[in-house]
Amino acid sequence: NNLRMSYDQLCQKIGSAIFKIGSNVTSMQKLVVQLGTPAETPNVKKQLDTKRSEVQRSIESTNDMFRQAGDMCKEGSPQEQKSRKIQVERLKQQFSEAIQKFKKISTARSRQRASGSFQNEVPNNFAT
């Protein structure tokens, strides 16, 4: 079934995007802990800004993919619709968790920019 294949591919793309967001947030966390220390360099700030932009673009594109998946959940048999809705809800939960981590690291970065200090803003276990 061609519809089923495109739905599965879309869910795979959503899952990959969520993983990419999480990976970028982990990279951001590693960069943020360098701020306000001797390890801070202009390159660290540039890398952090690049990662933030990548995450923001990924969030936007993932939201678009969720809209498409939502439309696809309305197609097929009642059993397929139910199964798809459950799958999309699981992906949405993972997406929400990734966004929350991104917001947390972005907030910590903003506070650091405002105060010029970053001591103890991000816990060592943040990326877990």
Side-chain angles (χ1 to χ4, degrees), residues 28-42 44-46 48-49 52 103-123:
M28 287 175 67
Q29 192 271 334
K30 291 176 183 176
L31 293 166
V32 165
V33 297
Q34 296 178 37
L35 299 175
T37 72
E40 180 181 335
T41 65
V44 168
K45 291 179 181 179
K46 182 179 177 187
L48 186 58
D49 289 339
R52 181 184 319 100
K103 285 180 180 179
K104 186 174 182 180
I105 197 72
S106 294
T107 301
R109 169 70 170 124
S110 295
R111 279 186 280 181
Q112 185 277 335
R113 276 186 175 165
S115 70
S117 171
F118 200 71
Q119 297 295 64
N120 300 321
E121 289 287 338
V122 178

Side-chain angles (χ1 to χ4, degrees), residues 2-64:
N2 195 20
L3 175 65
R4 181 71 186 160
M5 184 171 292
S6 73
Y7 174 79
D8 289 341
Q9 289 172 340
L10 182 60
C11 286
Q12 181 67 35
K13 286 174 103 174
I14 291 170
S16 294
I18 293 167
F19 179 80
K20 182 179 177 182
I21 291 167
S23 295
N24 281 333
V25 169
T26 298
S27 295
M28 287 175 67
Q29 192 271 334
K30 291 176 183 176
L31 293 166
V32 165
V33 297
Q34 296 178 37
L35 299 175
T37 72
E40 180 181 335
T41 65
N43 190 43
V44 168
K45 291 179 181 179
K46 182 179 177 187
Q47 287 177 15
L48 186 58
D49 289 339
T50 299
K51 292 291 181 191
R52 181 184 319 100
S53 294
E54 287 176 15
V55 170
Q56 289 170 333
R57 282 191 304 274
S58 291
I59 289 171
E60 289 174 20
S61 66
T62 305
N63 275 326
D64 290 341

Side-chain angles (χ1 to χ4, degrees), residues 1 34-35 37-39 47-48 51-54 57 68 74-75 77 79 81-82 86 88 96 99 102-103 111 121 124:
N1 184 339
Q34 296 178 37
L35 299 175
T37 72
Q47 287 177 15
L48 186 58
K51 292 291 181 191
R52 181 184 319 100
S53 294
E54 287 176 15
R57 282 191 304 274
Q68 292 173 12
K74 299 172 187 170
E75 300 171 3
S77 71
Q79 185 62 29
Q81 289 177 23
K82 182 178 179 181
I86 291 169
V88 167
S96 177
I99 289 173
F102 174 65
K103 285 180 180 179
R111 279 186 280 181
E121 289 287 338
N124 290 334

